[in-house]
Structure formats: C-alpha cells, structure tokens
C-alpha cells in the first residue's frame, strides 16, 4: 500500500 | 475445482462482459467512426523525429490512461474487491499491462498492421523514436496473433478477467482465495468458448498467450529500466506517477 499510493487510492475511490 | 452450475457461469460471463464494455476505453463504434484512418507520412515523420524522451513520455501517458480503465474493470469483477488490499494491488500491478495488451487487439487493424494511437492508426514505424524496435515488433506480432483468434467481446472480457486473477503472482497473501476466483473464471472462459462453438483447442491457444504476455511485460520493465538509467530526471519529473508505481 505504501509503495502504491496512487493505485491504492484508485481502488478506494467509488466507481467512476 | 468448485462445482458451478451453467446458469451461474452464464451469469458470470454476462457480468464480466458488461464490466468489460463499460471500461473498455474505446467502443467499437467509436473506432469505426475514425474510418481506420492511418497517420499520414508527414505525421509519421513527426513522431519519428520527436526526442526519445518525449516519445517515451507520450507512450507512458497513454499506457497510464489505459491502466486506469483496467483498474476499473478489475474493481467490477465479482470477488476482486473482497480480496485483501495487498492482493488487489499485487494482481493489478502484475496484470494490468497484460490486459492492456489483450485489449489492444480491439484497436488493431491487422490488414495494415496498425494500432489506434493518439487519434489515428499507427504502424510500428511511428514508435521508432522510442529506440526499442524489437519490443515494438513483438507487441505488434502479439496483437496480430490475438486478432487472428477472432475473439468475441465476451471471450476477450472473460480472458482479461482470467489474466487478472492469476493466483501464481508473487507476494499474494491469500493465494487460495485468488485461486478459487481464478478457477471459477476459467470455468466461465471454457463455458463461453464452448457456447460460441469454438474448437477444442481454443482454451489451449489462449493459455499459450499467457507466457507470451508475461514475456512482453518483463521486456517492457527491462526496457523502461534501461531508459531510466539514461534519463533518470525525465522519468522522475515527467512520467505519470501511476506508471512509475506499476512499472518502475
């Protein structure tokens, strides 16, 4: 998670 | 392997296909509207004369755009978001480029050996400025071989999901959980191939694509490393952060 902040964020975001 | 009814497999194929179409980045109709227009010679030469680092940056941006659609596709696969966060990240980090390469066959004109890129259809010569002709040739060869399978959208969709749910990726924490999902997806893949009256070898043909995909992705990582060694500042300051997270 720490090394993949953006990917983690995309996974957390609600469906776009 | 889990016992799954035909109705369940039908439903699984349907939901994966729906997710695929919702997240495919370009609809077939949109592509048809471009009339398969290729870049003019002057435009090709313009791409060829870009500085190497600018062409790399442009391609990194395009790949990153495509990745975001694949992430959204993954999120809509039943069971994916129930995996632990570590495994969601592991699977996407390892599988997103594989899915992009498979999706590429939807944007590929085999007759002219060209791919939809930056608004028109581009042959391998458009990418000469990257300085990795061998890799580009291999990518185009792969797209040609995928196109020759003439997969339907359903089959592409389920194959993409199957690739993402690879239980043999390194660093998975809940491997058995991923295996279970992958097995179900494999059954769905067999089901959709049978339903479309494919010959018996179709699944094996797709399985043989897996090693080709892994090789291409490894070569991409290696090529990026080599480029980064020469242009570290370009990568650090001008490449999309998501691209660096996944492939750097």
């Amino acid at each position: 998670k720490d090394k993949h902040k953006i990917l983690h964020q995309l996974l957390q975001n609600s469906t776009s | 392997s889990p016992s799954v009814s035909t109705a369940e497999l039908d439903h699984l194929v349907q939901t994966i296909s729906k997710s695929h179409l919702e997240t495919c980045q370009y609809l077939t109709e949109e592509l048809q509207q471009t009339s398969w227009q290729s870049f003019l010679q002057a435009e090709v030469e313009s791409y060829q004369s870009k500085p190497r680092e600018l062409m790399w940056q442009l391609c990194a941006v395009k790949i990153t755009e495509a990745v975001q659609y694949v992430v959204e596709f993954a999120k809509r696969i039943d069971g994916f978001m129930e995996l632990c966060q570590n495994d969601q990240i592991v699977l996407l980090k390892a599988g997103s480029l594989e899915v992009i390469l498979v999706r590429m066959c939807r944007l590929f004109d085999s007759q002219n050996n060209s791919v939809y890129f930056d608004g028109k259809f581009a042959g391998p010569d458009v990418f000469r400025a990257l300085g990795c002709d061998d890799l580009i040739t291999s990518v185009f060869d792969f797209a040609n071989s995928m196109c020759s399978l003439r997969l339907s959208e359903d089959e592409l969709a389920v194959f993409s999901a199957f690739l993402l749910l690879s239980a043999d990726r390194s660093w998975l924490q809940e491997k058995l959980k991923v295996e279970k999902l992958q097995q179900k997806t494999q059954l769905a893949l067999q089901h959709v191939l049978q339903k479309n009256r494919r010959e018996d070898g179709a699944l094996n043909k797709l399985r043989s694509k897996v090693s080709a995909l892994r090789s291409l992705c490894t070569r991409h990582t290696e090529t990026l490393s080599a480029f980064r060694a020469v242009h570290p500042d370009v990568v650090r300051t001008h490449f999309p952060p998501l691209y660096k997270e996944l492939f750097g």
Side-chain angles (χ1 to χ4, degrees), chain A residues 4 6-7 10 13 15-16, chain B residues 72 75-76 85 93 241 245:
Chain A
H4 303 89
I6 298 168
L7 184 52
L10 284 175
N13 287 349
T15 304
S16 53
Chain B
E72 195 55 41
K75 285 168 76 172
R76 297 173 193 212
Q85 281 175 357
K93 186 173 167 127
E245 256 183 33

Side-chain angles (χ1 to χ4, degrees), chain A residues 1-2 4 7-8 11, chain B residues 80 83-93 169-175 178:
Chain A
K1 247 191 314 185
D2 288 340
H4 303 89
L7 184 52
H8 175 66
L11 287 164
Chain B
F80 184 85
L83 299 172
C84 66
Q85 281 175 357
N86 176 80
D87 289 2
Q88 291 173 20
I89 289 171
V90 164
L91 292 178
L92 274 166
K93 186 173 167 127
R169 305 291 192 196
S170 305
W171 312 112
L172 285 173
Q173 284 175 354
E174 294 178 322
K175 191 176 151 157
V178 178

Side-chain angles (χ1 to χ4, degrees), chain B residues 38-82:
Chain B
S38 296
F39 284 110
L40 302 170
Q41 191 51 35
E43 291 169 319
V44 172
E45 283 165 14
S46 165
Y47 283 108
Q48 287 176 338
S49 53
K50 279 185 192 293
R52 189 179 174 216
E53 55 271 25
L54 272 185
M55 194 59 185
W56 263 89
Q57 186 189 348
L58 177 59
C59 293
V61 165
K62 297 299 184 191
I63 290 177
T64 308
E65 282 171 4
V67 164
Q68 289 169 79
Y69 286 88
V70 175
V71 171
E72 195 55 41
F73 172 64
K75 285 168 76 172
R76 297 173 193 212
I77 297 174
D78 255 349
F80 184 85
M81 293 307 283
E82 281 68 56

